[in-house]
């Protein structure tokens, strides 16, 4: 049996869930590589090797993953955490803004997966953990493109799991609810604001920020990621609390009550 530590690659570790996840896996004895766009501009994480990688750039992804594999000889777990958001009605959101978001949140995962799978297939083992969201099954108003990206992550992950299972590789999605991170402050407004939407958009975004401020820290999400990496396979893992409750409501409640409750929570008429 090999005494080498399990090698984990986590994208987007500059802050929030990604950083907390890197710290946790390091404490568990993993050999952790965390990716950031520019390794020289980020606060170091003790025991975690930061690797420059832009998930929007295929060459950057291939270089980073190849360098990690050359150093370790293997990649056991890939956590796709990097992501961005944009706030605005669908009509307000430009095609360019939508393309940029989807490029990061969906195609970014495809790039890292395509670069990593050859090493996992060679070992006939591996785990891919994609960070989705409750918005991947319960869309939110004024976050339509972000919700669409997370729906895409869900579908991509299920299809991928069917394809790679033959090689001993499994795929899981983790579906957090609003978590106390920098998501709110880092989410730009769509540039082409339309006045008709302003009152309701502002009300909805106020509700989102309130949920983020009152939400739990990233620890519960990290617990779900660690369980996906170390425990028995499950296609979906929802952190304890609101995410788990919303998943049950979506699954078992009729559409009408869920729709009405969602509108009420966002302050929509």
């Amino acid at each position: 049996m090999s005494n080498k530590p399990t090698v984990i690659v986590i994208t987007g570790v500059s802050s929030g869930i990604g950083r907390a996840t890197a710290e946790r896996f390091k404490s568990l004895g993993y050999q952790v590589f965390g990716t950031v766009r520019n390794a020289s501009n980020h606060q170091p994480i003790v025991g975690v090797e930061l690797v420059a990688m832009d998930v929007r750039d295929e060459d950057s992804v291939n270089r980073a993953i190849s360098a990690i594999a050359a150093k370790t000889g293997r990649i056991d777990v890939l956590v796709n955490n990097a992501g961005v958001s944009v706030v605005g009605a669908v009509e307000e959101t430009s095609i360019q803004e939508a393309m940029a978001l989807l490029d990061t949140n969906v195609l970014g995962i495809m790039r890292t997966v395509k670069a990593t799978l050859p090493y996992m297939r060679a070992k006939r083992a591996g785990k891919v953990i994609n960070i989705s969201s409750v918005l991947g099954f319960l869309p939110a108003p004024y976050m339509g493109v972000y919700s669409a990206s997370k729906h895409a992550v869900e579908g991509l992950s299920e299809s991928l799991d069917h394809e790679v299972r033959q090689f001993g590789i499994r795929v899981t999605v983790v579906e957090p609810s609003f978590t106390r991170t920098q998501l709110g402050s880092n989410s730009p407004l769509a540039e082409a604001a339309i006045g008709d939407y302003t009152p309701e958009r502002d009300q909805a975004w106020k509700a989102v920020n309130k949920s983020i401020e009152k939400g739990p820290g990233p620890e519960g999400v990290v617990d779900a990621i660690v369980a996906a990496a170390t425990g028995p396979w499950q296609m979906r893992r929802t952190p304890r609390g609101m995410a788990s409750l919303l998943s049950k409501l979506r699954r078992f409640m009729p559409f009408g009550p869920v729709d009405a409750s969602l509108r009420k929570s966002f302050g929509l008429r």
Side-chain angles (χ1 to χ4, degrees), residues 44-123:
I45 305 173
V46 176
V48 175
E49 184 167 343
L50 297 183
V51 179
M53 186 176 86
D54 186 344
V55 299
R56 303 168 301 176
D57 183 330
E58 186 172 358
D59 289 339
S60 173
V61 171
N62 289 337
R63 283 196 303 270
I65 296 298
S66 295
I68 294 169
K71 179 175 291 190
T72 64
R74 61 194 298 158
I75 295 175
D76 300 298
V77 181
L78 170 66
V79 179
N80 281 306
N81 168 74
V84 295
S85 184
V86 65
V87 179
V90 171
E91 187 183 359
E92 295 178 304
T93 308
S94 71
I95 298 301
Q96 289 73 24
E97 288 171 318
M99 288 173 65
L101 185 147
L102 294 168
D103 193 22
T104 296
N105 292 8
V106 182
L107 299 184
I109 288 178
M110 283 193 65
R111 293 183 187 103
T112 60
V113 164
K114 284 169 65 65
T116 303
L117 281 180
Y119 303 104
M120 291 185 173
R121 281 192 289 104
K123 298 291 184 180

Side-chain angles (χ1 to χ4, degrees), residues 170-194:
R170 299 309 301 264
V171 183
T172 293
V173 290
V174 174
E175 301 168 323
S177 184
F178 293 120
T179 306
R180 197 168 64 250
T181 65
Q182 296 177 331
L183 174 68
S185 59
N186 288 345
S187 298
L189 290 171
E191 293 180 0
I194 298 172

Side-chain angles (χ1 to χ4, degrees), residues 240-262:
R240 295 186 301 274
M242 184 58 69
S244 181
L245 174 61
L246 290 172
S247 178
K248 290 181 176 66
L249 287 175
R250 185 61 157 175
R251 193 181 316 165
F252 299 116
M253 289 284 288
F255 175 81
V258 173
D259 181 73
S261 176
L262 183 68

Side-chain angles (χ1 to χ4, degrees), residues 2 6 14 23 29 41 45 64 84 88 90 104 110 118 130 185 190 213 217 244 260 265:
S2 173
T6 301
S14 59
E23 291 171 341
N41 289 343
I45 305 173
V84 295
V90 171
T104 296
M110 283 193 65
N130 295 330
S185 59
E213 290 168 4
S244 181
S265 68

Side-chain angles (χ1 to χ4, degrees), residues 130 132-134 136-137 154 173-177 236-239 243 247:
N130 295 330
S132 178
S133 166
V134 296
F137 60 81
E154 300 263 335
V173 290
V174 174
E175 301 168 323
S177 184
R236 288 174 171 78
R237 288 185 179 268
T238 52
S247 178

Side-chain angles (χ1 to χ4, degrees), residues 88-92 142 192-203:
V90 171
E91 187 183 359
E92 295 178 304
Y142 299 97
I194 298 172
D196 283 349
Y197 289 109
T198 297
E200 195 173 79
R201 181 199 337 106
D202 289 351
Q203 176 60 41

